[in-house]
Amino acid sequence: MTPIAVSPAARRRPFLALRTNMPGHHPWRRWVAAALTAVATGTLVPAWAEGPTGTAQTPVRSINEWLTRMHEASRMRAYTGTLVVTAGASMSASKIWHVCDGTRQMERVDTLTGEPRTTLRRDNEVITFIPESRTAVVEKRESLGLFPDMLRTPENLIPGFYSVRELGHQRIAGHLADMVEILPKDDLRFGYRIWSEQGTGLVVKLQTLGPQGAVLEQVAFTELQLDAPVSMDKLAASMKDTRGYEVVRPTLKKTTPEAQGWRLKEPVPGFSSMSCHVRETEASAKGGSAPMQWVFSDGLASVSLFVEPYDPRQHLQEKAATMGATQSVSRRVGEYWVTALGEVPRATLKRFTRSLERARP
């Protein structure tokens, strides 16, 4: 199984679909982007002024204040826009409509390049229309998958593993944005360079940073209308209109790693267990092992461990793969095949796979 070196469409087939359809891997978190080597061009204005004594003032916001502001903006604002994603020489784009009435959120995402598909969301209810196959995939997600994910973690450990640095201001998609870097304090995670619209805090551009600040991924709005007149009623009606489509509901069941007979010998610093699900198959219905996804997060980065029965016809060799900031490593553990997938350094994934062990036969 090669979860990285395949197209996004291919990753949604059978078990690979579990990777993108389960909690923790919403398309917003799948922002795959270009391997750029420098900060976007533009004139930077200092984010802090010189004090009366000539010394620089401290940043206005702490890392938690920055992230909370971005999180709330992504939840509460109404907007429409076009997101353009680049990965090496390739490019993809999506059109987004988002609205919130104070209690409920709804959004629509239409792909503008590649395989046509439309995804509609109402809180944790999601339906994806795939015109080419005339299928509509209905699912529920515990998380909205918005960046950042800090409010989902059992305890906020982000300040212990990341620091924040304010860089200045730039215009993105016609909006003046604050520019900050969130940098890791160890080598188990990547950093981020984020452009946050000044008035609302909405993230309008994001880069994932590797060693020495190299840009591994990037996503940015090319056009953005804030406080757009998005109709929640129209989006809700679109979710219900499945005429001409075969409705598919993946058979996913919430569980625990312990119930499935798995555990980590040693925790990976900063990462907390977020959820665990299995997908029921014909084999599991007859008493076999069901494919499992165990999701971890440090509040910003996420890691998924996928466990399925070992198949010598499919699992030919242990391997690793890379696409932008997304890394994947696979290895055999007894009679099982384990794949670790996440937006973290490969060494972090290897720590997860080395630590994973059977707690019972």
Side-chain angles (χ1 to χ4, degrees), residues 246-263:
E246 178 188 0
V247 178
V248 178
R249 289 180 170 83
T251 309
L252 304 176
K253 182 175 68 174
K254 188 174 182 179
T255 184
T256 65
E258 293 77 14
Q260 300 303 311
W262 293 95
R263 67 186 177 193

Side-chain angles (χ1 to χ4, degrees), residues 48-278:
W48 53 84
E50 292 293 316
T53 60
T55 60
Q57 298 176 353
T58 57
V60 176
R61 298 184 178 97
S62 68
I63 186 170
N64 281 349
E65 290 170 335
W66 275 111
L67 294 175
T68 299
R69 186 169 188 263
M70 296 173 191
H71 180 91
E72 291 304 310
S74 65
R75 291 172 53 87
M76 303 304 295
R77 306 302 301 194
Y79 56 86
T80 64
T82 301
L83 274 176
V84 173
V85 179
T86 53
S90 65
M91 181 274 292
S92 63
S94 297
K95 181 72 176 181
I96 295 175
W97 296 261
H98 184 275
V99 64
C100 178
D101 65 3
T103 57
R104 296 182 305 160
Q105 295 184 70
M106 290 201 70
E107 71 180 22
R108 171 175 176 160
V109 180
D110 286 0
T111 60
L112 301 179
T113 56
E115 181 183 2
R117 66 176 59 219
T118 296
T119 300
L120 293 121
R121 167 194 305 277
R122 178 172 52 214
D123 293 333
N124 66 344
E125 302 173 17
V126 179
I127 182 169
T128 300
F129 293 90
I130 308 173
E132 291 184 358
S133 61
R134 305 303 294 176
T135 57
V137 182
V138 178
E139 55 190 318
K140 286 185 178 291
R141 296 192 180 123
E142 295 176 352
S143 167
L144 290 176
L146 301 170
F147 178 90
D149 227 11
M150 61 176 292
L151 301 184
R152 289 187 61 229
T153 50
E155 52 184 321
N156 179 22
L157 302 178
I158 291 176
F161 294 93
Y162 294 91
S163 62
V164 66
R165 181 174 66 165
E166 301 184 10
L167 299 181
H169 315 304
Q170 282 187 337
R171 284 178 60 82
I172 304 295
H175 299 271
L176 190 61
D178 293 317
M179 183 179 174
V180 299
E181 283 185 343
I182 297 177
L183 302 175
K185 295 181 179 180
D186 58 23
D187 57 1
L188 295 178
R189 58 209 92 229
F190 292 135
Y192 304 92
R193 185 176 295 126
I194 308 169
W195 287 256
S196 170
E197 198 274 326
Q198 279 195 335
T200 64
L202 185 69
V203 175
V204 294
K205 182 176 178 179
L206 183 147
Q207 295 175 338
T208 303
L209 308 177
Q212 289 78 52
V215 178
L216 304 177
E217 297 183 1
Q218 177 180 280
V219 62
F221 281 104
T222 57
E223 61 91 14
L224 174 66
Q225 180 183 357
L226 295 172
D227 299 320
V230 182
S231 172
M232 183 169 285
D233 290 339
K234 289 184 178 180
L235 293 182
S238 297
M239 288 190 72
K240 298 177 181 178
D241 188 6
T242 58
R243 290 172 297 178
Y245 282 80
E246 178 188 0
V247 178
V248 178
R249 289 180 170 83
T251 309
L252 304 176
K253 182 175 68 174
K254 188 174 182 179
T255 184
T256 65
E258 293 77 14
Q260 300 303 311
W262 293 95
R263 67 186 177 193
L264 290 185
K265 291 181 292 186
E266 297 180 359
V268 178
F271 287 90
S272 300
S273 175
M274 303 302 299
S275 65
C276 185
H277 289 75
V278 294

